Amino acid sequence: MNQGSIAVIGAGKWGQALHFALSQKQKCLISSRSKREIENFVDLETAMDCEYLVIAIPAQEIRGWLKENFVFKGQKILVASKGIEAKTGEFLNEIYSNFVPDKNIGFISGPSFAAEVIKGLPCALVINSKSKKLYKSFQPFFPNFIKTYFSADVIGAEIAGAYKNVLAIASGICEGLQLGKNAQASLIARGLVEMQRFGKYFGAKKSSFLGLSGAGDLFLTANSTMSRNFRVGLGLSQNKKLEDILKELGEVAEGVKTADAIHNLSKKYSIYTPIANEVKLILDGKNPKDSLKDLLKN
Ligand SMILES: NC(=O)C1=CN([C@@H]2O[C@H](COP(=O)(O)OP(=O)(O)OC[C@H]3O[C@@H](n4cnc5c(N)ncnc54)[C@H](OP(=O)(O)O)[C@@H]3O)[C@@H](O)[C@H]2O)C=CC1
Ligand SMILES: O=C(CO)COP(=O)(O)O
């Protein structure tokens, strides 16, 4: 293993932004499924040999990618994805635990549009890990424009990061239907309560939902057309077909599959998640105006 070296795996929007950020203080390699003309782009084998890895591939692809490509050699890993596997309802930390010990892995959360990070604009992120030592070993790689915090609440950060994508879809629908700022603020506030309730069931800490990972990322994504998930919501409000919306987007909108995962988990464990459930129904074809009526019922 190449001691002290770092690589990003996945050269999508977020992978490229993280590569830019992590290249400010030292050389950072990058690798992806499709070859790109990016400085320090390497093949997967070379990247995998680095001591530090940041993995930025969509949540639904992670299990297959790990099975096919990953060899654990003691690397320290940061997961940059935000989502829940729809097929199984498993959280990303559960999937990774089959391949990497807890002390070697952390999860990035917090409000961070790739488009702003790649311009070097300031932001604050949380590195969530069972190991503070892991956080401390990654912290020096981050550039001066990114403030990092540590949290041991891995499940809280994961649920917050995944759930806010579903709520961003709901908020996009609200915006598209021109329901007004009162409605949007109510939706976002009740969404925050809902994701906290869901998280509590799985042992997440309340404080994670009130900080950067929860409220911070939710307020960002549920209020901006820069969010892919928000734009999915806008498209749904115009009665566009989901297939066409995703084609036009051309990038991942994790909230689509995560809505499925939350719907199934909340049904299985009897957790009250009305907003996520309506998003799932709208994605399946329900008229958003009927969802609104159902959400407003006393
Ligand atoms: N964009 C953002 O602002 C942020 C995104 N995130 C999260 O980061 C994750 C990635 O998002 P983002 O980079 O924006 O998404 P993009 O759609 O821009 O890129 C996804 C990348 O994943 C790679 N990929 C897709 N499927 C596979 C697969 N089966 N095996 C290997 N690689 C695959 C693709 O690589 P290739 O092109 O080489 O085929 C693609 O470039 C998501 O979970 C997202 O929620 C988190 C914070 C911010
Ligand atoms: O997670 C993000 C910002 O923190 C990006 O959100 P979108 O995937 O909705 O663009």
Side-chain angles (χ1 to χ4, degrees), residues 5 26-27 29 53 61 89 104 114 117 128 130 159 163 172 198 225 243 249 253 258 273 293:
S5 58
Q26 66 283 304
K27 183 173 173 179
L29 306 180
L53 298 178
E61 308 296 330
N104 283 60
V117 172
N128 307 272
K130 294 293 167 208
I159 288 177
Y163 217 113
F198 183 85
T225 51
E243 199 188 326
L249 200 63
T258 296
T273 56
K293 275 186 214 145

Side-chain angles (χ1 to χ4, degrees), residues 12-14 32-34 36 58 61 82 112 114 228 252 254:
K13 276 277 156 60
W14 190 214
S32 204
R33 190 175 51 173
S34 334
R36 307 278 174 107
E61 308 296 330
K82 293 174 181 169
S112 47
R228 285 93 45 109
V252 69
E254 294 277 22

Side-chain angles (χ1 to χ4, degrees), residues 70-222:
F70 188 73
V71 184
F72 182 65
K73 311 171 190 174
Q75 300 99 322
K76 298 171 183 79
I77 291 168
L78 281 188
V79 178
S81 325
K82 293 174 181 169
I84 305 171
E85 192 179 60
K87 211 168 41 196
T88 60
E90 278 193 29
F91 299 112
L92 302 187
N93 77 80
E94 296 177 292
I95 299 174
Y96 271 100
S97 71
N98 298 309
F99 300 86
V100 185
D102 276 0
K103 67 178 176 46
N104 283 60
I105 196 162
F107 296 79
I108 303 176
S109 63
S112 47
F113 280 139
E116 293 187 357
V117 172
I118 206 158
K119 288 186 195 155
L121 294 172
C123 79
L125 295 175
V126 189
I127 293 177
N128 307 272
S129 174
K130 294 293 167 208
S131 161
K132 189 153 191 185
K133 202 170 151 204
L134 180 111
Y135 163 70
K136 284 190 171 160
S137 66
F138 266 106
Q139 204 278 329
F141 286 104
F142 281 86
N144 297 336
F145 64 86
I146 299 184
K147 167 121 179 134
T148 60
Y149 290 84
F150 169 73
S151 166
D153 186 16
V154 170
I155 189 65
E158 257 210 73
I159 288 177
Y163 217 113
K164 67 88 192 168
N165 285 331
V166 178
L167 298 172
I169 296 178
S171 187
I173 295 171
C174 186
E175 174 104 359
L177 293 178
Q178 299 182 327
L179 301 179
K181 291 296 171 196
N182 294 340
Q184 202 162 19
S186 304
L187 180 78
I188 294 170
R190 290 309 302 170
L192 186 57
V193 172
E194 184 176 309
M195 64 152 90
Q196 202 173 294
R197 185 189 306 122
F198 183 85
K200 190 176 171 200
Y201 183 89
F202 294 98
K205 279 192 186 159
K206 189 174 177 177
S207 56
S208 301
F209 295 92
L210 300 178
L212 293 167
S213 310
D217 208 1
L218 173 63
F219 295 168
L220 178 83
T221 8

Side-chain angles (χ1 to χ4, degrees), residues 19-82:
H19 175 246
F20 167 80
L22 296 167
S23 296
Q24 299 303 309
K25 286 194 188 164
Q26 66 283 304
K27 183 173 173 179
C28 178
L29 306 180
I30 183 161
S31 185
S32 204
R33 190 175 51 173
S34 334
K35 195 168 167 2
R36 307 278 174 107
E37 290 304 318
I38 309 172
E39 208 183 339
N40 291 320
F41 190 95
V42 294
D43 58 39
L44 188 58
E45 207 183 324
T46 308
M48 206 81 89
D49 228 20
C50 287
E51 185 181 356
Y52 296 89
L53 298 178
V54 180
I55 305 181
I57 63 174
Q60 310 305 322
E61 308 296 330
I62 284 171
R63 188 188 297 275
W65 183 84
L66 285 167
K67 270 191 192 160
E68 249 179 66
N69 301 291
F70 188 73
V71 184
F72 182 65
K73 311 171 190 174
Q75 300 99 322
K76 298 171 183 79
I77 291 168
L78 281 188
V79 178
S81 325
K82 293 174 181 169

